[in-house]
Amino acid sequence: NAGVMQNPRHLVRRRGQEARLRCSPMKGHSHVYWYRQLPEEGLKFMVYLQKENIIDESGMPKERFSAEFPKEGPSILRIQQVVRGDSAAYFCATGQATNTGELFFGEGSRLTVL
Amino acid sequence: GDSVTQMEGPVTLSEEAFLTINCTYTATGYPSLFWYVQYPGEGLQLLLKATKADDKGSNKGFEATYRKETTSFHLEKGSVQVSDSAVYFCALLNAGNNRKLIWGLGTSLAVNP
């Protein structure tokens, strides 16, 4: 049973480009969370999605950031017109519909903006 | 709102030393409590959990007891190993907050041989 798959693991973008990060949940998981982690900082919640539905996006910046979890395919976190401050590790975590708090994390996508 | 406070790191110990990482929380109602661990270069993974007062979660020699009277969930291990070097996150899950985990900032542990 494959775990949570994130890709790319490493992504380099120049300022102004777009970054797309993908997350394929574990089989049977219908909840997806995206987090951002910076060195010396904790996990920052960004968005919580279920299939075709955004449940909570209170941690998402109002501009340039968007997320989706379509009926088919992976969840995608999209960052438009990246800036240097977007450089971070972005983690996806998935869980079951029962939402017991037991999340399974991917290995993260590390975005570097030049 | 709900919150989690962890002791600041980094914590540096010698192998076989006793470990305590403090975690206290603020929450309404009866949250579930968790410890997650992040090894270098990896994502987080669940270490242990407790869902009600006085429950003790345990795994891989680590333990934490849900203390409602002190609103705490301190992580302990009697004898740490070099392989325990990681960042440890305390978290809570409450019925509100759209049932998303509320995280502490993480405590970095380095164990020297």
Side-chain angles (χ1 to χ4, degrees):
Chain A
N1 196 12
V4 179
M5 303 300 292
Q6 285 190 251
N7 68 83
R9 291 291 311 277
H10 300 275
L11 182 63
V12 179
R13 286 287 180 265
R14 297 190 180 280
R15 281 179 296 170
Q17 292 185 318
E18 179 179 287
R20 282 191 181 221
L21 310 177
R22 296 174 194 79
C23 170
S24 295
M26 283 182 69
K27 187 176 181 180
H29 285 191
S30 57
H31 294 210
V32 171
Y33 301 77
W34 283 96
Y35 293 91
R36 183 166 117 155
Q37 187 177 41
L38 286 165
E40 310 306 320
E41 295 186 17
L43 280 177
K44 181 179 183 297
F45 166 78
M46 300 183 73
V47 62
Y48 166 29
L49 310 108
Q50 296 177 18
K51 288 278 188 183
E52 300 183 283
N53 199 11
I54 297 175
I55 305 302
D56 184 339
E57 56 181 349
S58 58
M60 288 277 273
K62 298 298 181 192
E63 297 178 350
R64 301 188 299 108
F65 284 72
S66 62
E68 62 175 3
F69 187 18
K71 186 176 181 181
E72 301 290 338
S75 175
I76 294 176
L77 179 67
R78 182 182 179 204
I79 311 172
Q80 295 179 290
Q81 299 173 354
V82 296
V83 300
R84 288 218 174 100
D86 297 332
S87 296
Y90 293 85
F91 287 94
C92 165
T94 75
Q96 295 179 323
T98 50
N99 198 1
T100 60
E102 296 184 42
L103 297 182
F104 292 80
F105 281 75
E107 294 188 318
S109 292
R110 283 153 181 84
L111 171 65
T112 302
V113 180
L114 301 177
Chain B
D2 295 352
S3 66
V4 174
T5 303
Q6 287 182 236
M7 64 185 285
E8 286 190 26
V11 174
T12 303
L13 296 173
S14 297
E15 207 165 20
E16 299 184 2
F18 185 84
L19 169 71
T20 299
I21 300 179
N22 289 340
C23 171
T24 57
Y25 67 90
T26 302
T28 56
Y30 303 94
S32 296
L33 301 173
F34 304 82
W35 278 101
Y36 279 78
V37 58
Q38 183 180 28
Y39 297 104
E42 298 183 11
L44 282 71
Q45 55 186 277
L46 179 65
L47 180 60
L48 53 83
K49 68 172 185 176
T51 58
K52 61 183 187 297
D54 299 325
D55 266 3
K56 178 186 283 188
S58 61
N59 186 24
K60 299 182 181 179
F62 291 88
E63 293 183 341
T65 301
Y66 188 158
R67 302 280 188 206
K68 190 161 178 65
E69 63 275 15
T70 54
T71 62
S72 64
F73 193 53
H74 304 322
L75 183 68
E76 297 182 335
K77 186 173 185 181
S79 176
V80 293
Q81 305 300 313
V82 172
S83 57
D84 294 326
S85 298
V87 181
Y88 292 82
F89 291 88
C90 185
L92 72 81
L93 180 72
N94 217 341
N97 297 311
N98 273 325
R99 288 192 66 80
K100 66 178 187 282
L101 285 165
I102 306 299
W103 297 88
L105 290 180
T107 302
S108 176
L109 169 66
V111 180
N112 298 319

